[in-house]
């Protein structure tokens, strides 16, 4: 996936899509942290510690 993004000169990395998904799910669609974390394969604590700085700035 990264090579495809590089070949097409995408202005972001594939992993950035994961971050956007997490933030959008929490902010725009109001998915509970525990649910969003489960969908992404980590604990609510990891989700909160990783994404809170962006979620708090947007919400």
């Amino acid at each position: 996936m990264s090579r495809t993004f590089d070949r097409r000169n995408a202005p972001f990395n594939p992993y950035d899509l994961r971050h956007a998904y997490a933030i959008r799910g929490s902010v725009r669609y109001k998915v509970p942290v525990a649910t969003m974390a489960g969908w992404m394969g980590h604990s609510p604590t990891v989700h909160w510690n990783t994404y809170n700085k962006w979620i708090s700035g947007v919400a």
Side-chain angles (χ1 to χ4, degrees), residues 5-30:
F5 274 54
D6 288 342
R7 280 194 306 263
R8 299 193 181 267
N9 296 317
F12 52 87
N13 298 316
Y15 206 72
D16 294 340
L17 297 174
R18 180 176 172 85
H19 296 306
Y21 172 76
I23 295 163
R24 189 172 292 117
S26 294
V27 175
R28 188 173 191 184
Y29 299 109
K30 308 291 187 220

Side-chain angles (χ1 to χ4, degrees), residues 18-27 30-56:
R18 180 176 172 85
H19 296 306
Y21 172 76
I23 295 163
R24 189 172 292 117
S26 294
V27 175
K30 308 291 187 220
V31 176
V33 169
T35 303
M36 204 70 219
W39 289 350
M40 297 184 72
H42 54 245
S43 70
T45 301
V46 168
H47 188 86
W48 189 256
N49 290 339
T50 304
Y51 300 110
N52 184 48
K53 59 187 158 204
W54 290 290
I55 292 169
S56 295

